[in-house]
PDB file of all heavy atoms in Angstrom:
ATOM      1  N   PRO A 228      84.888 154.817 179.825  1.00 87.00           N
ATOM      2  CA  PRO A 228      84.651 155.938 180.889  1.00 87.00           C
ATOM      3  C   PRO A 228      85.777 156.924 180.858  1.00 87.00           C
ATOM      4  O   PRO A 228      85.540 158.175 180.841  1.00 87.00           O
ATOM      5  CB  PRO A 228      84.541 155.223 182.226  1.00 87.00           C
ATOM      6  CG  PRO A 228      83.883 153.885 181.801  1.00 87.00           C
ATOM      7  CD  PRO A 228      84.498 153.593 180.556  1.00 87.00           C
ATOM      8  N   PRO A 229      87.161 156.527 180.956  1.00 89.00           N
ATOM      9  CA  PRO A 229      88.104 157.616 180.930  1.00 89.00           C
ATOM     10  C   PRO A 229      88.328 158.296 179.608  1.00 89.00           C
ATOM     11  O   PRO A 229      89.115 159.311 179.500  1.00 89.00           O
ATOM     12  CB  PRO A 229      89.376 156.829 181.314  1.00 89.00           C
ATOM     13  CG  PRO A 229      89.148 155.440 180.907  1.00 89.00           C
ATOM     14  CD  PRO A 229      87.708 155.248 181.088  1.00 89.00           C
ATOM     15  N   ALA A 230      87.795 157.828 178.564  1.00 92.00           N
ATOM     16  CA  ALA A 230      87.950 158.375 177.159  1.00 92.00           C
ATOM     17  C   ALA A 230      86.914 159.194 176.726  1.00 92.00           C
ATOM     18  O   ALA A 230      87.143 160.093 175.729  1.00 92.00           O
ATOM     19  CB  ALA A 230      88.272 157.194 176.101  1.00 92.00           C
ATOM     20  N   ILE A 231      85.787 159.108 177.256  1.00 92.00           N
ATOM     21  CA  ILE A 231      84.502 159.784 176.649  1.00 92.00           C
ATOM     22  C   ILE A 231      84.681 161.319 176.631  1.00 92.00           C
ATOM     23  O   ILE A 231      84.145 161.964 175.658  1.00 92.00           O
ATOM     24  CB  ILE A 231      83.246 159.282 177.341  1.00 92.00           C
ATOM     25  CG1 ILE A 231      82.136 159.609 176.516  1.00 92.00           C
ATOM     26  CG2 ILE A 231      83.109 159.871 178.792  1.00 92.00           C
ATOM     27  CD1 ILE A 231      80.855 158.942 176.880  1.00 92.00           C
ATOM     28  N   GLY A 232      85.236 161.852 177.652  1.00 93.00           N
ATOM     29  CA  GLY A 232      85.301 163.416 177.654  1.00 93.00           C
ATOM     30  C   GLY A 232      86.212 163.857 176.511  1.00 93.00           C
ATOM     31  O   GLY A 232      85.889 164.818 175.821  1.00 93.00           O
ATOM     32  N   LEU A 233      87.289 163.111 176.250  1.00 96.00           N
ATOM     33  CA  LEU A 233      88.196 163.527 175.116  1.00 96.00           C
ATOM     34  C   LEU A 233      87.587 163.268 173.863  1.00 96.00           C
ATOM     35  O   LEU A 233      87.818 164.037 172.811  1.00 96.00           O
ATOM     36  CB  LEU A 233      89.533 162.677 175.261  1.00 96.00           C
ATOM     37  CG  LEU A 233      90.371 162.914 176.433  1.00 96.00           C
ATOM     38  CD1 LEU A 233      91.536 161.962 176.566  1.00 96.00           C
ATOM     39  CD2 LEU A 233      90.938 164.447 176.405  1.00 96.00           C
ATOM     40  N   VAL A 234      86.701 162.229 173.695  1.00 96.00           N
ATOM     41  CA  VAL A 234      85.975 161.992 172.414  1.00 96.00           C
ATOM     42  C   VAL A 234      84.977 163.239 172.267  1.00 96.00           C
ATOM     43  O   VAL A 234      84.919 163.683 171.108  1.00 96.00           O
ATOM     44  CB  VAL A 234      85.266 160.657 172.510  1.00 96.00           C
ATOM     45  CG1 VAL A 234      84.292 160.552 171.284  1.00 96.00           C
ATOM     46  CG2 VAL A 234      86.171 159.478 172.547  1.00 96.00           C
ATOM     47  N   LYS A 235      84.241 163.495 173.221  1.00 94.00           N
ATOM     48  CA  LYS A 235      83.156 164.622 173.053  1.00 94.00           C
ATOM     49  C   LYS A 235      83.801 165.936 172.869  1.00 94.00           C
ATOM     50  O   LYS A 235      83.163 166.822 172.276  1.00 94.00           O
ATOM     51  CB  LYS A 235      82.156 164.498 174.315  1.00 94.00           C
ATOM     52  CG  LYS A 235      81.390 163.335 174.387  1.00 94.00           C
ATOM     53  CD  LYS A 235      80.262 163.333 175.377  1.00 94.00           C
ATOM     54  CE  LYS A 235      79.224 162.348 175.262  1.00 94.00           C
ATOM     55  NZ  LYS A 235      78.123 162.437 176.101  1.00 94.00           N
ATOM     56  N   SER A 236      84.997 166.236 173.332  1.00 96.00           N
ATOM     57  CA  SER A 236      85.542 167.395 173.091  1.00 96.00           C
ATOM     58  C   SER A 236      86.435 167.478 171.758  1.00 96.00           C
ATOM     59  O   SER A 236      86.888 168.589 171.474  1.00 96.00           O
ATOM     60  CB  SER A 236      86.609 167.741 174.297  1.00 96.00           C
ATOM     61  OG  SER A 236      87.719 166.890 174.284  1.00 96.00           O
ATOM     62  N   GLY A 237      86.483 166.381 171.109  1.00 97.00           N
ATOM     63  CA  GLY A 237      87.092 166.437 169.822  1.00 97.00           C
ATOM     64  C   GLY A 237      88.631 166.279 169.836  1.00 97.00           C
ATOM     65  O   GLY A 237      89.231 166.405 168.777  1.00 97.00           O
ATOM     66  N   GLN A 238      89.077 165.992 171.050  1.00 98.00           N
ATOM     67  CA  GLN A 238      90.575 165.833 171.117  1.00 98.00           C
ATOM     68  C   GLN A 238      91.152 164.532 170.594  1.00 98.00           C
ATOM     69  O   GLN A 238      92.387 164.492 170.203  1.00 98.00           O
ATOM     70  CB  GLN A 238      91.011 165.993 172.569  1.00 98.00           C
ATOM     71  CG  GLN A 238      90.716 167.423 173.077  1.00 98.00           C
ATOM     72  CD  GLN A 238      91.279 167.444 174.539  1.00 98.00           C
ATOM     73  OE1 GLN A 238      92.396 167.613 174.832  1.00 98.00           O
ATOM     74  NE2 GLN A 238      90.325 167.554 175.471  1.00 98.00           N
ATOM     75  N   ILE A 239      90.290 163.443 170.442  1.00 98.00           N
ATOM     76  CA  ILE A 239      90.634 162.137 169.822  1.00 98.00           C
ATOM     77  C   ILE A 239      89.512 161.806 168.963  1.00 98.00           C
ATOM     78  O   ILE A 239      88.305 162.296 169.075  1.00 98.00           O
ATOM     79  CB  ILE A 239      90.938 161.120 170.937  1.00 98.00           C
ATOM     80  CG1 ILE A 239      89.717 161.047 171.888  1.00 98.00           C
ATOM     81  CG2 ILE A 239      92.191 161.434 171.681  1.00 98.00           C
ATOM     82  CD1 ILE A 239      89.986 159.943 172.934  1.00 98.00           C
ATOM     83  N   LYS A 240      89.770 160.984 168.016  1.00 98.00           N
ATOM     84  CA  LYS A 240      88.717 160.490 167.001  1.00 98.00           C
ATOM     85  C   LYS A 240      88.224 159.093 167.481  1.00 98.00           C
ATOM     86  O   LYS A 240      89.028 158.077 167.613  1.00 98.00           O
ATOM     87  CB  LYS A 240      89.380 160.344 165.630  1.00 98.00           C
ATOM     88  CG  LYS A 240      89.616 161.767 164.968  1.00 98.00           C
ATOM     89  CD  LYS A 240      90.039 161.556 163.558  1.00 98.00           C
ATOM     90  CE  LYS A 240      91.513 161.201 163.476  1.00 98.00           C
ATOM     91  NZ  LYS A 240      92.128 161.335 162.038  1.00 98.00           N
ATOM     92  N   PRO A 241      86.891 159.041 167.614  1.00 98.00           N
ATOM     93  CA  PRO A 241      86.309 157.656 167.924  1.00 98.00           C
ATOM     94  C   PRO A 241      86.243 156.833 166.610  1.00 98.00           C
ATOM     95  O   PRO A 241      85.813 157.383 165.569  1.00 98.00           O
ATOM     96  CB  PRO A 241      84.924 158.000 168.449  1.00 98.00           C
ATOM     97  CG  PRO A 241      84.623 159.235 167.866  1.00 98.00           C
ATOM     98  CD  PRO A 241      85.864 160.060 167.494  1.00 98.00           C
ATOM     99  N   LEU A 242      86.672 155.569 166.691  1.00 98.00           N
ATOM    100  CA  LEU A 242      86.493 154.697 165.567  1.00 98.00           C
ATOM    101  C   LEU A 242      85.436 153.738 165.622  1.00 98.00           C
ATOM    102  O   LEU A 242      84.688 153.520 164.713  1.00 98.00           O
ATOM    103  CB  LEU A 242      87.863 154.036 165.242  1.00 98.00           C
ATOM    104  CG  LEU A 242      89.095 154.888 165.201  1.00 98.00           C
ATOM    105  CD1 LEU A 242      90.352 154.092 165.030  1.00 98.00           C
ATOM    106  CD2 LEU A 242      88.991 155.930 163.989  1.00 98.00           C
ATOM    107  N   ALA A 243      85.315 152.953 166.810  1.00 98.00           N
ATOM    108  CA  ALA A 243      84.445 151.913 166.890  1.00 98.00           C
ATOM    109  C   ALA A 243      84.355 151.471 168.387  1.00 98.00           C
ATOM    110  O   ALA A 243      85.426 151.452 169.074  1.00 98.00           O
ATOM    111  CB  ALA A 243      84.675 150.746 165.987  1.00 98.00           C
ATOM    112  N   VAL A 244      83.190 151.035 168.838  1.00 97.00           N
ATOM    113  CA  VAL A 244      83.099 150.501 170.254  1.00 97.00           C
ATOM    114  C   VAL A 244      83.174 148.968 170.047  1.00 97.00           C
ATOM    115  O   VAL A 244      82.917 148.358 169.049  1.00 97.00           O
ATOM    116  CB  VAL A 244      81.795 150.808 170.913  1.00 97.00           C
ATOM    117  CG1 VAL A 244      81.889 152.325 171.202  1.00 97.00           C
ATOM    118  CG2 VAL A 244      80.568 150.473 170.144  1.00 97.00           C
ATOM    119  N   THR A 245      83.563 148.197 171.115  1.00 95.00           N
ATOM    120  CA  THR A 245      83.986 146.870 171.052  1.00 95.00           C
ATOM    121  C   THR A 245      82.831 145.864 171.374  1.00 95.00           C
ATOM    122  O   THR A 245      82.890 144.645 171.263  1.00 95.00           O
ATOM    123  CB  THR A 245      85.072 146.518 171.952  1.00 95.00           C
ATOM    124  OG1 THR A 245      84.677 146.598 173.253  1.00 95.00           O
ATOM    125  CG2 THR A 245      86.305 147.409 171.636  1.00 95.00           C
ATOM    126  N   THR A 246      81.604 146.460 171.862  1.00 92.00           N
ATOM    127  CA  THR A 246      80.470 145.540 172.002  1.00 92.00           C
ATOM    128  C   THR A 246      79.701 145.406 170.745  1.00 92.00           C
ATOM    129  O   THR A 246      79.904 146.046 169.814  1.00 92.00           O
ATOM    130  CB  THR A 246      79.524 146.206 173.121  1.00 92.00           C
ATOM    131  OG1 THR A 246      79.473 147.651 172.889  1.00 92.00           O
ATOM    132  CG2 THR A 246      80.120 146.085 174.614  1.00 92.00           C
ATOM    133  N   LEU A 247      78.772 144.390 170.888  1.00 93.00           N
ATOM    134  CA  LEU A 247      78.023 143.990 169.631  1.00 93.00           C
ATOM    135  C   LEU A 247      76.904 145.033 169.307  1.00 93.00           C
ATOM    136  O   LEU A 247      76.376 145.203 168.227  1.00 93.00           O
ATOM    137  CB  LEU A 247      77.494 142.665 169.703  1.00 93.00           C
ATOM    138  CG  LEU A 247      78.370 141.507 169.613  1.00 93.00           C
ATOM    139  CD1 LEU A 247      77.788 140.148 169.769  1.00 93.00           C
ATOM    140  CD2 LEU A 247      79.117 141.477 168.225  1.00 93.00           C
ATOM    141  N   LYS A 248      76.612 145.844 170.388  1.00 92.00           N
ATOM    142  CA  LYS A 248      75.581 146.819 170.343  1.00 92.00           C
ATOM    143  C   LYS A 248      76.244 148.244 170.493  1.00 92.00           C
ATOM    144  O   LYS A 248      77.139 148.434 171.254  1.00 92.00           O
ATOM    145  CB  LYS A 248      74.406 146.721 171.341  1.00 92.00           C
ATOM    146  CG  LYS A 248      73.571 145.499 171.116  1.00 92.00           C
ATOM    147  CD  LYS A 248      72.391 145.462 172.065  1.00 92.00           C
ATOM    148  CE  LYS A 248      71.565 144.182 171.856  1.00 92.00           C
ATOM    149  NZ  LYS A 248      70.441 144.148 172.794  1.00 92.00           N
TER     150      LYS A 248
END
Side-chain angles (χ1 to χ4, degrees):
I231 194 162
L233 295 172
V234 170
K235 290 191 171 184
S236 66
Q238 296 180 69
I239 53 179
K240 290 187 280 192
L242 303 179
V244 294
T245 65
T246 43
L247 289 175
K248 293 182 179 180

